[in-house]
């Protein structure tokens, strides 16, 4: 028998969450499927999200994979191209590229025009990661408008605080002041801005984490936002131990019982993608009932508290996150974000399609 852990992927939930994004905005949707669709599988996610007008990712190999699979939507490389040689593939597969630096503009001059290119010019409106600073934006735009190889230009930025109380007002003001004079398509909104700030929707929205059924906000759950979890990480209890007062469990014995208790050993560990730094008290479901992890997470196993679950035993089902237990709750308890948990799922975990 195989080890009992598995990740169940509900493709209908992906479709549902896409429609939730559609109801929230009339803009065209650029579905973000980078990092193997946040751990959900590139091609299966793209198929479920096929009604989106575009796909955004990072690796040109993934973009080619989508084209070879027959996807005809706009495919956007979020970090653009890295060498002049990349442009030959960009043109051959009709990919759109983010332009965020002068070095990329310089590379365009070396491209032997075979097909014209679609580019997205990125403004650093406050994130200060990728993009042209406001004082360099106009010059970059004028170069691209006149460049012999450029076909279409979309103007874009990315928000640093859309999921926080600071909000987007300052960055939105910078971006609007720079771009409104130009009659070009614009794109600003990630998941958080799409759900919270209609003024940012413009021509293209770029939902990511919400498509996979996780909330981008600390204060709002995925259920409150009307999202359905796509990935449910499941396993089973493979052993039960009884602790006497003062006895520890796991490496370092960092958890010690203060009264007699039952502990369940679950076939899931950090080599499966569960966060090693998750502390005692991280929520978990056993036979659909909420309990907590105990002690240090091991490579292949973790332990859970069965004190309030007398019927739980070897073979009991365990939900690490997903249906019934939002991944953002697990992430919050572990001091991280849902993006990291979903992307960290490892290859040794079998995928089962719902």
């Amino acid at each position: 028998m195989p080890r009992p852990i598995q990740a169940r992927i509900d493709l209908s939930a992906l479709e549902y969450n896409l429609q939730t994004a559609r109801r929230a905005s009339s803009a065209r949707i650029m579905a973000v499927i980078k990092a193997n669709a946040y751990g959900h599988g590139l091609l299966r996610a793209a198929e479920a999200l096929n009604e989106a007008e575009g796909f955004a990712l990072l690796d040109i190999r993934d973009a080619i994979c989508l084209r070879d699979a027959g996807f005809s939507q706009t495919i956007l490389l979020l970090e653009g191209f890295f060498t002049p040689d990349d442009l030959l593939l960009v043109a051959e597969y009709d990919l759109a590229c983010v332009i965020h630096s002068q070095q990329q503009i310089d590379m365009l001059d070396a491209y032997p025009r075979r097909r014209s290119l679609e580019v997205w010019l990125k403004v650093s409106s406050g994130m200060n990661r990728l993009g042209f600073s406001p004082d360099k934006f106009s010059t970059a735009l004028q170069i691209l408008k006149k460049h012999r190889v450029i076909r279409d230009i979309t103007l874009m930025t990315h928000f640093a605080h859309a999921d926080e109380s600071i909000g987007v007002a300052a960055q939105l003001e910078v971006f609007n002041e720079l771009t409104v004079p130009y009659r070009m398509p614009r794109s600003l909104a990630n998941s958080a801005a799409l759900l919270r700030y209609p003024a940012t929707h413009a021509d293209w929205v770029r939902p990511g984490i919400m498509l996979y059924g996780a909330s981008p906000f600390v204060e709002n759950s995925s259920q409150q936002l009307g999202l359905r979890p796509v990935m449910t990480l499941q396993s089973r209890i493979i052993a039960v131990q009884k602790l006497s007062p003062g006895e520890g469990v796991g490496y370092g014995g960092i958890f010690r019982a203060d009264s007699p208790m039952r502990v369940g050993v679950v076939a899931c560990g950090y080599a499966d993608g569960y966060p090693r730094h998750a502390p005692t008290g991280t929520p978990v479901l056993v036979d659909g009932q909420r309990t907590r992890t105990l002690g240090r997470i091991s490579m292949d196993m973790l332990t859970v508290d069965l004190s309030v679950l007398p019927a739980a035993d070897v073979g009991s089902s365990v939900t690490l996150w997903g249906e019934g237990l939002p991944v953002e709750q697990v992430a919050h308890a572990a001091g991280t974000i849902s993006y990291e948990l979903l992307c960290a799922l490892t290859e040794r975990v079998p995928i089962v399609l719902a």
Side-chain angles (χ1 to χ4, degrees):
M1 292 292 291
R3 189 163 170 259
I5 192 170
Q6 64 178 29
R8 183 166 54 83
I9 304 295
D10 184 354
L11 297 179
S12 69
L14 265 175
E15 297 171 2
Y16 179 88
N17 296 333
L18 176 63
Q19 293 309 313
T20 300
R22 186 80 73 191
R23 289 191 295 270
S25 175
S26 60
R28 286 175 286 178
I29 292 179
M30 178 69 68
V32 181
I33 57 173
K34 61 183 180 178
N36 195 31
Y38 291 44
H40 293 71
L42 178 71
L43 289 178
R44 70 172 68 96
E47 185 62 38
L49 298 170
N50 194 39
E51 291 187 11
E53 287 82 4
F55 294 120
L57 39 70
L58 291 157
D59 196 314
I60 195 168
R61 293 168 297 183
D62 290 339
I64 291 171
C65 181
L66 290 182
R67 283 285 186 250
D68 287 344
F71 293 96
S72 60
Q73 290 94 329
T74 298
I75 299 178
L76 176 65
L77 297 174
L78 287 168
E79 292 178 353
F81 47 89
F82 303 96
T83 70
D85 290 342
D86 291 340
L87 290 169
L88 298 176
L89 290 174
V90 166
E92 180 180 353
Y93 289 93
D94 191 22
L95 307 177
C97 289
V98 169
I99 298 285
H100 58 78
S101 71
Q102 182 62 46
Q103 288 78 10
Q104 288 176 312
I105 292 179
D106 293 342
M107 290 180 203
L108 292 174
D109 294 334
Y111 166 63
R113 180 175 179 174
R114 296 181 181 177
R115 296 182 184 177
S116 56
L117 305 175
E118 177 183 350
V119 298
W120 290 43
L121 177 60
K122 190 165 192 175
V123 181
S124 180
S125 60
M127 183 79 160
N128 297 322
R129 195 173 60 178
L130 294 182
F132 289 88
S133 59
D135 61 312
K136 301 271 180 35
F137 163 76
S138 294
T139 298
L141 178 58
Q142 293 308 315
I143 293 173
L144 292 177
K145 286 175 65 176
K146 298 175 182 178
H147 204 287
R148 60 184 174 81
V149 305
I150 301 303
R151 179 178 75 241
D152 297 304
I153 303 173
T154 297
L155 307 177
M156 72 178 297
T157 195
H158 191 62
F159 293 123
H161 303 288
D163 58 339
E164 302 173 6
S165 59
I166 295 175
V168 302
Q171 284 188 253
L172 181 60
E173 181 179 2
V174 170
F175 185 76
N176 283 343
E177 184 176 344
L178 289 171
T179 63
V180 165
Y182 302 100
R183 293 191 175 183
M184 294 180 175
R186 301 186 305 149
S187 177
L188 304 85
N190 56 7
S191 291
L194 189 160
L195 292 168
R196 184 169 282 178
Y197 301 107
T200 68
H201 290 180
D203 301 284
W204 284 93
V205 292
R206 307 190 306 271
I209 194 65
M210 68 172 294
L211 296 177
Y212 306 98
S215 172
F217 308 114
V218 172
E219 69 276 18
N220 296 116
S221 70
S222 49
Q223 294 104 319
Q224 289 173 323
L225 298 174
L227 303 172
R228 288 172 47 189
V230 178
M231 179 193 296
T232 298
L233 183 60
Q234 300 172 315
S235 189
R236 293 189 179 275
I237 291 176
I238 59 173
V240 174
Q241 302 293 340
K242 294 182 179 180
L243 300 186
S244 298
E247 286 190 312
V249 63
Y251 287 115
I254 60 174
F255 172 82
R256 293 191 176 276
D258 55 12
S259 61
M261 66 184 304
R262 296 170 70 240
V263 173
V265 181
V266 181
C268 178
Y270 61 78
D272 300 299
Y274 197 86
R276 182 180 183 274
H277 54 274
T280 291
T282 300
V284 63
L285 301 182
V286 175
D287 287 338
Q289 299 182 70
R290 193 179 182 102
T291 184
R292 59 176 180 152
T293 62
L294 300 173
R296 187 167 290 160
I297 307 300
S298 302
M299 180 182 289
D300 309 305
M301 290 170 278
L302 57 83
T303 52
V304 297
D305 187 356
L306 301 183
S307 298
V308 296
L309 302 173
D313 209 331
V314 172
S316 288
S317 65
V318 178
T319 298
L320 288 312
W321 64 67
E323 190 173 354
L325 180 60
V327 64
E328 62 265 20
Q329 291 184 13
V330 179
H332 179 71
T336 185
I337 55 176
S338 55
Y339 304 71
E340 182 180 11
L341 299 191
L342 297 174
C343 291
L345 187 76
T346 64
E347 290 185 359
R348 79 175 192 176
V349 178
I351 300 294
V352 177
L353 300 183

